[in-house]
Amino acid sequence: MISLKEKIGYALGDAAAGGITWKIMSIAFPLFFTNVFGLTIADTATLMLIARMFDVVTDPLMGSLADRTQSRWGTYRPWLIFGAVPLGLIFALLLYTPDFGPVGKRIYAYTLYLMMMAVYTAVNVPYGSLLGVMTDDDNVKNQFSSFRMVGAYAMGFVTLLSFPYLQKMVGGTEAHQYAVLGAGFGLLATVMTLACGLLTRERLKPVRAEKFSFRPFADLFKNKPWIYLTLIGICTNFFNGFRYAVAGYLLEYCLHGDVTVSGLIINYTVFMTFGEVTCMIFGGVSPAFTKWVGSKKKAFMIAALICMIFSICFFFVPMDPAYIWVMVALVILTSVGVGLYSPLLWSMYADVADYATEKNGTSSTGLIFSSGTMAQKFGTAISGSLVALFLGFSGFISGTDPDTGQTVITITNEESVRTMIWSLFSLFPAAIIVIMLYLIKLYPIKK
């Protein structure tokens, strides 16, 4: 019998990674780098692209390394226990704006961002793989996966809702606010990650290969379920990535800044918070919904259709603060679909890992789950990079004044920029869902 304490402990891992570090990196970093830190729009896009190429190598290597780890704490848990402090510390440093010129800032941002990607990989790949060795019961795996998503979205809700109020409380310049909040949230992420490593248990022993071999990497590309699921995972993160990366620009340039309704400050983090709490609720409902529908594949398709329909609807809402509650309603309805399919994705990775073990005779759980983390980072950051590129094409220019060190924003075509932002939040994600639906149809495991 798996205790509630262990399920909560497992949830804390993604509360830290998905609800704090990755959520802030997804929604705040594009706007932070261009409007606060002072990188050019081209530098911001290039930074995220380089980091993704870096992850293509480090994620699968980390998965293979995690699979071969043997210690008194188990196979995957030691990476959480000893990676907790570096995760929080580097995250905090990344939100600090040094008093450097354009070149110094560029070097600082590139170095810290790549370090953050590396340590995130070292913690999150083993964390995802942990699901494959805590239980062999498929229903319990779904429960763990559901707790994971609820933990991520619950913490994401707290993080995004509190962000503007904490900024106001800290005071000073925006750079000072981000630095202080980075330190606070970094400490919280460290504590949660460490708790996850200490409260969970590894009950199953991975079937290890005798020695290191490149065969597991080659076997992946013969594994059709893995290929389709990895592409699906990239699509889900493209969908979320576009919306989160552009939300700050949407409030700033389409709605002309924060919207205050009955004392509630709706900035870009609060705007997306409504989606977070919806995802949290429907992430918890997902196992029951899947059981009612009859299969993970069918449940995933229905959830994706919900996302597509309401994303398209958002495009036709007028760019006017008077319609803020219509926008919020569509964010909530879109997030119903996201909440339903998010737990399914990680549960399906566990199915693919079981399939690979049965087919190949040795465990590649860490390697397979690393592809889930790679898809998460690849989809989110490439979409963030594309947001920066498309904004640049439409007439948005940012940079640091070499004389004063101040961030300078120039918009050469306001109408073009506004339309691009609106489309990046609605039509671009909807197009991604169309691709995702085709891939889900081809996914061969019918559990």
Side-chain angles (χ1 to χ4, degrees):
M1 182 71 178
I2 309 292
S3 69
L4 178 62
K5 182 175 75 171
E6 186 172 358
K7 291 176 183 175
I8 293 173
Y10 186 67
L12 288 175
D14 215 16
I20 298 178
T21 58
W22 198 255
K23 197 64 65 181
I24 292 175
M25 289 170 70
S26 300
I27 193 169
F29 272 24
L31 189 69
F32 168 72
F33 279 135
T34 58
N35 289 34
V36 179
F37 193 90
L39 289 184
T40 65
I41 200 86
D43 273 333
T44 302
T46 305
L47 168 60
M48 293 182 174
L49 280 170
I50 289 174
R52 297 295 61 77
M53 297 307 102
F54 180 67
D55 286 338
V56 167
V57 177
T58 59
D59 280 42
L61 287 177
M62 184 63 232
S64 184
L65 178 60
D67 282 336
R68 286 162 176 77
T69 300
Q70 298 185 58
S71 76
R72 58 182 289 192
W73 298 279
T75 299
Y76 304 113
R77 290 171 58 238
W79 293 96
L80 280 76
I81 295 168
F82 295 102
V85 172
L87 179 74
L89 178 61
I90 295 172
F91 174 77
L93 291 173
L94 195 49
L95 281 168
Y96 173 72
T97 303
D99 188 19
F100 297 157
V103 175
K105 281 187 174 181
R106 190 180 299 125
I107 294 171
Y108 183 91
Y110 275 62
T111 302
L112 267 294
Y113 197 84
L114 289 173
M115 288 175 65
M116 183 64 198
M117 290 299 95
V119 74
Y120 187 91
T121 295
V123 169
N124 209 243
V125 168
Y127 169 72
S129 307
L130 190 58
L131 180 63
V133 295
M134 289 193 295
T135 179
D136 57 0
D137 187 309
D138 199 50
N139 289 327
V140 178
K141 284 180 184 177
N142 284 345
Q143 291 172 23
F144 269 121
S145 189
S146 183
F147 265 82
R148 171 184 183 165
M149 289 298 104
V150 171
Y153 286 123
M155 194 62 224
F157 167 75
V158 171
T159 301
L160 299 184
L161 181 63
S162 65
F163 209 88
Y165 299 97
L166 291 173
Q167 283 183 292
K168 191 174 180 180
M169 186 187 304
V170 170
T173 64
E174 280 192 285
H176 174 69
Q177 293 167 9
Y178 275 96
V180 173
L181 293 184
F185 280 116
L187 177 62
L188 189 56
T190 292
V191 172
M192 287 182 167
T193 303
L194 183 59
C196 176
L198 295 174
L199 292 175
T200 50
R201 287 181 58 195
E202 298 186 21
R203 294 174 179 81
L204 308 177
K205 296 278 187 185
V207 183
R208 305 179 196 276
E210 290 295 321
K211 57 183 179 179
F212 179 80
S213 167
F214 284 101
R215 181 181 169 186
F217 295 91
D219 287 340
L220 281 181
F221 294 94
K222 300 175 186 176
N223 186 331
K224 283 188 178 180
W226 175 81
I227 293 170
Y228 286 119
L229 191 60
T230 298
L231 293 173
I232 291 166
I234 290 172
C235 285
T236 64
N237 288 288
F238 264 117
F239 178 80
N240 289 328
F242 276 119
R243 296 168 70 245
Y244 278 102
V246 84
Y249 297 98
L250 187 146
L251 266 291
E252 183 70 24
Y253 299 104
C254 295
L255 303 183
H256 310 293
D258 300 350
V259 180
T260 303
V261 184
S262 302
L264 175 65
I265 302 171
I266 302 180
N267 78 334
Y268 68 100
T269 62
V270 175
F271 185 65
M272 298 306 289
T273 296
F274 292 100
E276 292 298 302
V277 72
T278 305
C279 288
M280 177 183 69
I281 293 167
F282 283 88
V285 170
S286 182
F289 175 73
T290 304
K291 190 174 181 180
W292 176 67
V293 167
S295 75
K296 296 176 187 178
K297 182 173 177 177
K298 192 172 180 181
F300 208 114
M301 292 185 77
I302 294 170
L305 281 169
I306 292 171
C307 293
M308 183 182 73
I309 290 167
F310 291 112
S311 292
I312 293 171
C313 289
F314 191 96
F315 181 77
F316 297 99
V317 179
M319 294 183 205
D320 189 324
Y323 290 86
I324 189 66
W325 289 118
V326 177
M327 300 173 205
V328 167
L330 288 171
V331 167
I332 290 171
L333 290 169
T334 303
S335 298
V336 169
V338 178
L340 289 173
Y341 73 56
S342 293
L344 288 172
L345 187 67
W346 293 105
S347 182
M348 289 158 77
Y349 271 114
D351 295 337
V352 171
D354 291 344
Y355 170 87
T357 300
E358 184 178 333
K359 182 179 179 182
N360 302 321
T362 58
S363 174
S364 55
T365 301
L367 184 58
I368 286 170
F369 272 91
S370 75
S371 61
T373 306
M374 183 179 69
Q376 178 189 39
K377 291 192 286 185
F378 186 86
T380 303
I382 292 293
S383 56
S385 178
L386 289 174
V387 164
L389 285 173
F390 285 131
L391 287 178
F393 293 151
S394 65
F396 185 99
I397 303 169
S398 68
T400 299
D401 187 308
D403 298 322
T404 65
Q406 298 297 308
T407 300
V408 179
I409 303 293
T410 304
I411 294 178
T412 60
N413 188 329
E414 185 176 347
E415 189 59 33
S416 174
V417 169
R418 281 158 53 89
T419 302
M420 179 59 74
I421 290 170
W422 212 252
S423 300
L424 285 166
F425 194 83
S426 54
L427 297 184
F428 279 69
I432 293 297
I433 292 292
V434 174
I435 298 170
M436 190 164 75
L437 283 167
Y438 176 72
L439 293 169
I440 295 166
K441 185 178 179 182
L442 297 177
Y443 177 70
I445 296 179
K446 303 186 184 298
K447 279 189 179 182

